[in-house]
Amino acid sequence: MFLHGTSKKNDAGHLEIGGVDTVTLAKEFGTPLYIYDVALIRERARSFKQAFENMGVKAQVAYASKAFSSIAMFQLINEEGLSLDVVSGGELFTAITSGFPASRIHLHGNNKSRAELKMALDHEVGCIVVDNFYEIELIDELSKEYSRKVPILLRVTPGVEAHTHDYITTGQEDSKFGFGLLNGQIEQAMKTVLDSEGIHLLGIHCHIGSQIFDTAGFVLAAERVFEKINAWKEEFSYIPEVVNLGGGFGIRYTKEDEPLPATYYVEQIVEAVKKQVDDMGITMPEIWIEPGRSLVGDAGTTLYTVGSKKTVPNIREYVAIDGGMSDNIRPALYQAKYEAVLANRVTENHDKTVSIAGKCCESGDMLIWDLPLPEVQAKDLLAVFCTGAYGYSMANNYNRIPRPAVVFVENGEAQLVIKRESYEDLIMNDLPLKSKVSQG
Ligand SMILES: *Cc1c(COP(=O)(O)O)cnc(C)c1O
């Protein structure tokens, strides 16, 4: 088992996170429960910022909030001085409500509605990351209503697709996001934007994928973008103030994963950019990045209570927990792998092999196959590690299972930051059938 952040085995033989015993957390808040190690989030945030400072580069580190968003989370990100990416009116509303400074919010999305754009302009967000020609038209039109210039980045698809262990240079840009970098679309978009009275083109954005363990894809994408920037210098006399190279830095879910330290990604990316900038003889633009998973992924742990078991003779033992694909859809969606321990007996030998089943009515609702655990009994507590990203944010009410609560732990204290949904919450928007008009 790998313990990370502040998690450790305590004298009671229990798993402890942030100085708080998880057995106590289960008693106090119930299960399933998402537990966030706040110190670890702070450490990750600081190391990204520090890496840029060490290299003397002006930067913004924007938390890609789709990984996990809530009022308290946004307040924590604000405390650490990071910026924030939002991709919908709902995420923007949460950010504004949390008191997050709008000037450090960036609005993303491949189909922003007029209402969402208006909301962003009402609050004067720091920039809008523009994805397509329709959006340019909308923003140009809205800028007249607001009588001020709208700061934007143009998102490009660089023809580099990064996957966990390698990257593919597609050379073409088959993606629903952004303007093709290599097929003339971006130049067309730039012409329109540079001619618009109401739009201020801050710079260029690209994002090549997720859970990436290698810097080569980032470096290649940066090189492609800067080759273009060199050409645009001649063609449009335009030099971007900002180049945003996205997120996607990989984390360790299981011992097979070998992520690089955050600082290493930043160093490699910045080195590549510096080289290009020197060759071109232009001023270094601000470099922005957008880590999501790598800020919160391994800081999250989900605590479940064990219930039923089923043994299929000579094949396997299924152990069922009180959650599943309703609170963690990643195994069902992308065969994501996790590690877990028995939180209430963490010091015992984990030398039996079982498979962890969720409680949803889907055979595919399996959280972990072939997990080493001690002999498990009902009421044991299972702690699944690294569920902090795309866990709660993708949670759903399949089978009308209420979404779990979320607690932050730090320095021996636990704080409830999202309440557990109740059955009443589940039917809150349901309306009864209209009664039939009586006959006669
Ligand atoms: C999802 C996303 C991110 C964050 O990705 P992670 O893998 O969570 O780091 C960053 N930028 C954009 C544009 C995204 O869509």
Side-chain angles (χ1 to χ4, degrees), residues 349-377:
N349 277 339
H350 286 47
D351 54 5
K352 306 272 182 319
T353 301
V354 301
S355 292
I356 306 298
K359 65 177 281 157
C360 292
C361 290
E362 289 283 332
S363 305
D365 182 23
M366 291 296 299
L367 272 192
I368 305 176
W369 294 100
D370 302 324
L371 173 73
L373 285 184
E375 184 71 46
V376 187
Q377 294 154 15

Short mmCIF file of all heavy atoms in Angstrom, two decimals, residues 349-377:
data_model
loop_
_atom_site.label_atom_id
_atom_site.label_comp_id
_atom_site.label_asym_id
_atom_site.label_seq_id
_atom_site.Cartn_x
_atom_site.Cartn_y
_atom_site.Cartn_z
N ASN A 349 -2.08 -7.66 7.81
CA ASN A 349 -1.61 -8.10 6.50
C ASN A 349 -2.72 -8.05 5.47
O ASN A 349 -3.79 -8.62 5.67
CB ASN A 349 -1.12 -9.56 6.57
CG ASN A 349 0.31 -9.61 7.06
OD1 ASN A 349 1.03 -8.60 6.96
ND2 ASN A 349 0.70 -10.76 7.61
N HIS A 350 -2.46 -7.37 4.37
CA HIS A 350 -3.43 -7.34 3.26
C HIS A 350 -3.03 -8.47 2.30
O HIS A 350 -2.41 -8.23 1.27
CB HIS A 350 -3.42 -5.96 2.59
CG HIS A 350 -4.11 -4.88 3.39
ND1 HIS A 350 -3.89 -4.66 4.72
CD2 HIS A 350 -5.04 -3.96 3.01
CE1 HIS A 350 -4.65 -3.65 5.14
NE2 HIS A 350 -5.36 -3.21 4.12
N ASP A 351 -3.36 -9.71 2.69
CA ASP A 351 -2.86 -10.85 1.91
C ASP A 351 -3.94 -11.74 1.32
O ASP A 351 -3.67 -12.82 0.82
CB ASP A 351 -1.87 -11.66 2.77
CG ASP A 351 -2.49 -12.09 4.09
OD1 ASP A 351 -3.70 -11.83 4.29
OD2 ASP A 351 -1.77 -12.68 4.92
N LYS A 352 -5.21 -11.29 1.39
CA LYS A 352 -6.28 -12.00 0.67
C LYS A 352 -6.62 -11.18 -0.57
O LYS A 352 -6.38 -9.97 -0.59
CB LYS A 352 -7.54 -12.10 1.54
CG LYS A 352 -7.32 -12.72 2.90
CD LYS A 352 -7.47 -14.21 2.83
CE LYS A 352 -7.31 -14.91 4.17
NZ LYS A 352 -6.23 -14.41 5.03
N THR A 353 -7.18 -11.80 -1.58
CA THR A 353 -7.52 -11.06 -2.79
C THR A 353 -9.04 -11.05 -2.98
O THR A 353 -9.67 -12.11 -3.02
CB THR A 353 -6.84 -11.69 -4.02
OG1 THR A 353 -5.45 -11.67 -3.77
CG2 THR A 353 -7.15 -10.92 -5.28
N VAL A 354 -9.60 -9.86 -3.07
CA VAL A 354 -11.05 -9.73 -3.29
C VAL A 354 -11.29 -8.69 -4.39
O VAL A 354 -10.39 -7.94 -4.76
CB VAL A 354 -11.80 -9.29 -2.01
CG1 VAL A 354 -11.59 -10.29 -0.89
CG2 VAL A 354 -11.36 -7.90 -1.56
N SER A 355 -12.53 -8.66 -4.88
CA SER A 355 -12.89 -7.63 -5.86
C SER A 355 -14.01 -6.78 -5.28
O SER A 355 -14.95 -7.31 -4.68
CB SER A 355 -13.31 -8.28 -7.18
OG SER A 355 -12.18 -8.90 -7.77
N ILE A 356 -13.87 -5.46 -5.44
CA ILE A 356 -14.77 -4.53 -4.77
C ILE A 356 -15.91 -4.14 -5.72
O ILE A 356 -15.67 -3.54 -6.79
CB ILE A 356 -14.03 -3.26 -4.32
CG1 ILE A 356 -12.82 -3.62 -3.44
CG2 ILE A 356 -14.97 -2.31 -3.58
CD1 ILE A 356 -13.16 -4.35 -2.15
N ALA A 357 -17.13 -4.47 -5.31
CA ALA A 357 -18.31 -4.18 -6.13
C ALA A 357 -19.06 -2.99 -5.56
O ALA A 357 -19.18 -2.82 -4.35
CB ALA A 357 -19.23 -5.40 -6.15
N GLY A 358 -19.55 -2.14 -6.46
CA GLY A 358 -20.44 -1.06 -6.06
C GLY A 358 -21.84 -1.58 -5.85
O GLY A 358 -22.11 -2.77 -6.05
N LYS A 359 -22.76 -0.71 -5.42
CA LYS A 359 -24.12 -1.17 -5.12
C LYS A 359 -25.13 -0.80 -6.21
O LYS A 359 -26.34 -0.96 -6.03
CB LYS A 359 -24.57 -0.66 -3.75
CG LYS A 359 -24.71 0.84 -3.62
CD LYS A 359 -25.22 1.22 -2.24
CE LYS A 359 -26.73 1.00 -2.14
NZ LYS A 359 -27.17 0.81 -0.76
N CYS A 360 -24.64 -0.28 -7.33
CA CYS A 360 -25.55 0.10 -8.41
C CYS A 360 -25.97 -1.12 -9.23
O CYS A 360 -25.25 -2.12 -9.29
CB CYS A 360 -24.89 1.11 -9.33
SG CYS A 360 -24.61 2.70 -8.53
N CYS A 361 -27.13 -1.02 -9.85
CA CYS A 361 -27.66 -2.14 -10.63
C CYS A 361 -27.06 -2.19 -12.02
O CYS A 361 -27.73 -1.93 -13.02
CB CYS A 361 -29.17 -2.06 -10.69
SG CYS A 361 -29.87 -2.43 -9.10
N GLU A 362 -25.78 -2.49 -12.07
CA GLU A 362 -25.01 -2.61 -13.31
C GLU A 362 -23.91 -3.61 -13.01
O GLU A 362 -23.16 -3.41 -12.06
CB GLU A 362 -24.30 -1.29 -13.66
CG GLU A 362 -25.17 -0.15 -14.13
CD GLU A 362 -25.61 -0.31 -15.56
OE1 GLU A 362 -24.89 -0.96 -16.35
OE2 GLU A 362 -26.69 0.21 -15.88
N SER A 363 -23.76 -4.64 -13.84
CA SER A 363 -22.64 -5.56 -13.63
C SER A 363 -21.32 -4.83 -13.75
O SER A 363 -20.32 -5.23 -13.17
CB SER A 363 -22.66 -6.68 -14.67
OG SER A 363 -23.90 -7.32 -14.64
N GLY A 364 -21.30 -3.76 -14.54
CA GLY A 364 -20.07 -2.99 -14.75
C GLY A 364 -19.69 -2.12 -13.56
O GLY A 364 -18.65 -1.47 -13.58
N ASP A 365 -20.54 -2.11 -12.53
CA ASP A 365 -20.23 -1.27 -11.37
C ASP A 365 -19.28 -2.00 -10.43
O ASP A 365 -19.66 -2.46 -9.36
CB ASP A 365 -21.51 -0.86 -10.64
CG ASP A 365 -21.23 0.06 -9.45
OD1 ASP A 365 -20.17 0.70 -9.44
OD2 ASP A 365 -22.07 0.11 -8.54
N MET A 366 -18.02 -2.10 -10.87
CA MET A 366 -16.95 -2.72 -10.08
C MET A 366 -15.89 -1.65 -9.84
O MET A 366 -15.39 -1.06 -10.79
CB MET A 366 -16.34 -3.89 -10.86
CG MET A 366 -17.25 -5.08 -11.02
SD MET A 366 -17.66 -5.87 -9.44
CE MET A 366 -16.02 -6.35 -8.85
N LEU A 367 -15.56 -1.41 -8.57
CA LEU A 367 -14.59 -0.34 -8.30
C LEU A 367 -13.15 -0.81 -8.47
O LEU A 367 -12.33 -0.12 -9.05
CB LEU A 367 -14.77 0.19 -6.87
CG LEU A 367 -15.76 1.33 -6.64
CD1 LEU A 367 -15.56 1.90 -5.25
CD2 LEU A 367 -15.62 2.43 -7.68
N ILE A 368 -12.85 -1.99 -7.92
CA ILE A 368 -11.47 -2.48 -7.99
C ILE A 368 -11.50 -4.01 -8.16
O ILE A 368 -12.18 -4.70 -7.40
CB ILE A 368 -10.67 -2.14 -6.70
CG1 ILE A 368 -10.71 -0.63 -6.42
CG2 ILE A 368 -9.23 -2.63 -6.82
CD1 ILE A 368 -10.03 -0.22 -5.11
N TRP A 369 -10.79 -4.50 -9.14
CA TRP A 369 -10.63 -5.95 -9.31
C TRP A 369 -9.37 -6.40 -8.58
O TRP A 369 -8.36 -5.70 -8.60
CB TRP A 369 -10.50 -6.31 -10.79
CG TRP A 369 -11.73 -6.05 -11.61
CD1 TRP A 369 -11.96 -4.98 -12.41
CD2 TRP A 369 -12.90 -6.88 -11.71
NE1 TRP A 369 -13.20 -5.08 -12.99
CE2 TRP A 369 -13.80 -6.24 -12.59
CE3 TRP A 369 -13.28 -8.11 -11.13
CZ2 TRP A 369 -15.05 -6.77 -12.91
CZ3 TRP A 369 -14.52 -8.64 -11.46
CH2 TRP A 369 -15.40 -7.98 -12.33
N ASP A 370 -9.44 -7.58 -7.97
CA ASP A 370 -8.25 -8.23 -7.40
C ASP A 370 -7.43 -7.33 -6.48
O ASP A 370 -6.26 -7.06 -6.72
CB ASP A 370 -7.34 -8.77 -8.53
CG ASP A 370 -8.10 -9.75 -9.41
OD1 ASP A 370 -8.93 -10.50 -8.86
OD2 ASP A 370 -7.89 -9.75 -10.63
N LEU A 371 -8.09 -6.90 -5.43
CA LEU A 371 -7.45 -6.02 -4.46
C LEU A 371 -6.97 -6.82 -3.25
O LEU A 371 -7.73 -7.59 -2.68
CB LEU A 371 -8.48 -4.98 -3.99
CG LEU A 371 -8.04 -4.06 -2.85
CD1 LEU A 371 -7.03 -3.04 -3.35
CD2 LEU A 371 -9.25 -3.35 -2.25
N PRO A 372 -5.71 -6.64 -2.84
CA PRO A 372 -5.25 -7.31 -1.63
C PRO A 372 -5.80 -6.64 -0.37
O PRO A 372 -5.64 -5.44 -0.20
CB PRO A 372 -3.72 -7.18 -1.69
CG PRO A 372 -3.41 -6.20 -2.74
CD PRO A 372 -4.65 -5.86 -3.50
N LEU A 373 -6.47 -7.41 0.47
CA LEU A 373 -7.04 -6.90 1.73
C LEU A 373 -6.89 -8.00 2.79
O LEU A 373 -6.70 -9.16 2.44
CB LEU A 373 -8.53 -6.59 1.57
CG LEU A 373 -8.98 -5.34 0.81
CD1 LEU A 373 -10.49 -5.22 0.89
CD2 LEU A 373 -8.33 -4.08 1.37
N PRO A 374 -7.04 -7.65 4.07
CA PRO A 374 -7.18 -8.71 5.08
C PRO A 374 -8.54 -9.40 4.88
O PRO A 374 -9.34 -8.94 4.06
CB PRO A 374 -7.18 -7.94 6.41
CG PRO A 374 -6.74 -6.55 6.09
CD PRO A 374 -7.06 -6.31 4.66
N GLU A 375 -8.81 -10.45 5.62
CA GLU A 375 -10.14 -11.08 5.58
C GLU A 375 -11.17 -10.02 5.95
O GLU A 375 -11.13 -9.46 7.04
CB GLU A 375 -10.15 -12.25 6.58
CG GLU A 375 -11.42 -13.07 6.59
CD GLU A 375 -11.56 -13.92 5.33
OE1 GLU A 375 -10.57 -14.56 4.92
OE2 GLU A 375 -12.67 -13.92 4.76
N VAL A 376 -12.09 -9.74 5.02
CA VAL A 376 -13.02 -8.61 5.22
C VAL A 376 -14.32 -9.05 5.86
O VAL A 376 -14.82 -10.15 5.59
CB VAL A 376 -13.35 -7.97 3.85
CG1 VAL A 376 -14.16 -6.70 4.03
CG2 VAL A 376 -12.10 -7.69 3.08
N GLN A 377 -14.85 -8.20 6.72
CA GLN A 377 -16.17 -8.45 7.31
C GLN A 377 -17.08 -7.26 7.07
O GLN A 377 -16.60 -6.14 6.86
CB GLN A 377 -16.04 -8.62 8.82
CG GLN A 377 -15.27 -9.84 9.26
CD GLN A 377 -14.64 -9.65 10.62
OE1 GLN A 377 -14.99 -8.73 11.36
NE2 GLN A 377 -13.70 -10.53 10.93
#
